[in-house]
């Protein structure tokens, strides 16, 4: 199960793809040896924010991030090594890591638009349910995402 097999620690590169961020984090939790002298290629299909928070809290650093589009769906591919990022991530950055900005990923603007739409729709539902604290957090997240989206607009200038 996961990375718990004989000689698993001997590999230099570990690829974990096509599953949710929570499951990827769980697999890595059970394989602390991945923090030293290993490159991880991670491709989460969901719960990206949970995976990024777990990586940040558990001594991993995202060194590269790429978006790919397949069948109309956008996917993140993360290259990760042991070592802490120097700056804590804000909630929106847990969804779209700063590495995407450093690399000026061409699919990032589309991804941010999708996130803004998703969380705007969620906000409407929360506002109807009168959970004001949840609404405030979503409003803040949407504002961060919109600011990130505006930043990508400067790339074409």
């Amino acid at each position: 199960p996961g990375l718990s097999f004989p000689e698993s620690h001997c590999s230099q590169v570990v690829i974990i793809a096509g599953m949710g961020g929570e499951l990827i984090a769980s697999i890595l939790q059970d394989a602390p040896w991945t923090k030293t002298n290993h490159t991880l290629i991670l491709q989460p299909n969901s719960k990206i924010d949970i995976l990024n928070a777990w990586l940040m809290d558990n001594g991993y650093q995202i060194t590269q991030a790429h978006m790919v589009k397949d069948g109309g769906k956008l996917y993140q591919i993360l290259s990760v090594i042991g070592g802490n990022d120097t700056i804590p991530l804000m909630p929106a950055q847990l969804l779209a890591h700063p590495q995407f900005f450093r690399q000026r990923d061409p699919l990032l603007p589309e991804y941010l638009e999708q996130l803004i739409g998703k969380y705007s729709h969620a906000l409407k539902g929360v506002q109807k349910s009168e959970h004001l604290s949840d609404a405030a957090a979503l409003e803040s997240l949407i504002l961060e995402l919109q600011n990130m989206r505006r930043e990508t607009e400067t790339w074409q200038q």
Side-chain angles (χ1 to χ4, degrees), residues 9-26:
H9 63 280
C10 293
S11 47
Q12 293 179 335
V13 177
V14 174
I15 299 172
I16 307 174
M19 55 189 69
E22 285 178 309
L23 182 54
I24 293 172
S26 173

Side-chain angles (χ1 to χ4, degrees), residues 27-99:
I27 290 169
L28 293 174
Q29 181 72 41
D30 293 338
W33 54 264
T34 59
K35 283 188 216 178
T36 54
N37 300 321
H38 294 85
T39 298
L40 308 175
I41 307 298
L42 308 178
Q43 187 276 299
N45 283 351
S46 63
K47 309 276 185 174
I48 292 162
D49 53 339
I50 291 172
L51 175 61
N52 283 337
W54 186 90
L55 291 169
M56 184 177 61
D57 292 342
N58 288 276
Y60 293 87
Q61 178 182 7
I62 296 173
T63 58
Q64 292 185 43
H66 301 281
M67 294 263 177
V68 295
K69 191 172 188 177
D70 183 43
K73 184 162 170 47
L74 292 169
Y75 297 94
Q76 293 189 16
I77 300 174
L78 309 173
S79 181
V80 178
I81 60 171
N84 290 322
D85 273 330
T86 55
I87 300 172
L89 300 178
M90 296 177 50
Q93 292 174 319
L94 293 172
L95 294 164
H97 194 275
Q99 228 16 290

Side-chain angles (χ1 to χ4, degrees), residues 92-140:
Q93 292 174 319
L94 293 172
L95 294 164
H97 194 275
Q99 228 16 290
F100 288 109
F101 288 88
R102 288 183 199 115
Q103 296 169 199
R104 293 188 174 208
D105 192 289
L107 293 173
L108 183 60
E110 181 180 351
Y111 178 68
L112 292 169
E113 287 295 332
Q114 287 180 4
L115 289 175
I116 291 166
K118 173 184 173 180
Y119 288 104
S120 295
H121 181 75
L123 176 61
K124 289 177 186 173
V126 167
Q127 288 170 330
K128 289 179 185 175
S129 71
E130 299 179 9
H131 289 133
L132 298 180
S133 62
D134 292 343
L138 280 172
E139 287 170 347
S140 176

